[in-house]
Amino acid sequence: MSFPDYNLESLGCASLGDLRRAVGILISSGPDWTNRTKRLSARAPGLDIFSQALVLRDDTGWQITDPGRAFLTSIETPMPIVVGDGQAPEAIVPLTPVPASPAPFYS
């Protein structure tokens, strides 16, 4: 995705069409992306990106928020390797409700 005229991508903004194209490419890229997505989503049961204010949306598209970026960082951080009984720990990312703010959507 790119926004050559507006530099919206650096602000975390994307139109619905751009999101659909990007996700379509990822989905068709094979099982690696699908498996990675499943592993990441297992670390955050109960995720709702809109009610938790991780992503804002309006008529022009979607925008990731600072809490959304922090959440992505937290689930993409590799889990520590556990030595001992050989079982990997179950990692659950706590989802703290973020009060919705009237943050502007840059257009």
Side-chain angles (χ1 to χ4, degrees):
M1 292 182 289
S2 93
F3 299 90
D5 297 331
Y6 304 105
N7 197 22
L8 293 177
E9 188 174 311
S10 67
L11 298 172
C13 301
S15 70
L16 185 55
D18 286 331
L19 286 169
R20 285 183 177 151
R21 279 189 290 283
V23 170
I25 291 167
L26 291 170
I27 288 172
S28 65
S29 67
D32 289 342
W33 185 80
T34 303
N35 292 338
R36 181 173 186 263
T37 302
K38 287 178 183 178
R39 283 191 310 273
L40 291 175
S41 66
R43 295 179 70 183
L47 176 65
D48 185 334
I49 62 174
F50 300 113
S51 69
Q52 294 164 336
L54 303 176
V55 173
L56 302 175
R57 60 184 167 179
D58 70 9
D59 293 339
T60 61
W62 294 15
Q63 179 184 16
I64 190 166
T65 63
D66 287 338
R69 289 179 194 275
F71 172 74
L72 284 177
T73 299
S74 72
I75 65 168
E76 290 180 343
T77 301
M79 293 174 39
I81 298 174
V82 176
V83 178
D85 65 1
Q87 284 191 327
E90 182 178 336
I92 304 295
V93 177
L95 298 175
T96 306
V98 177
S101 64
F105 186 84
Y106 300 96
S107 56

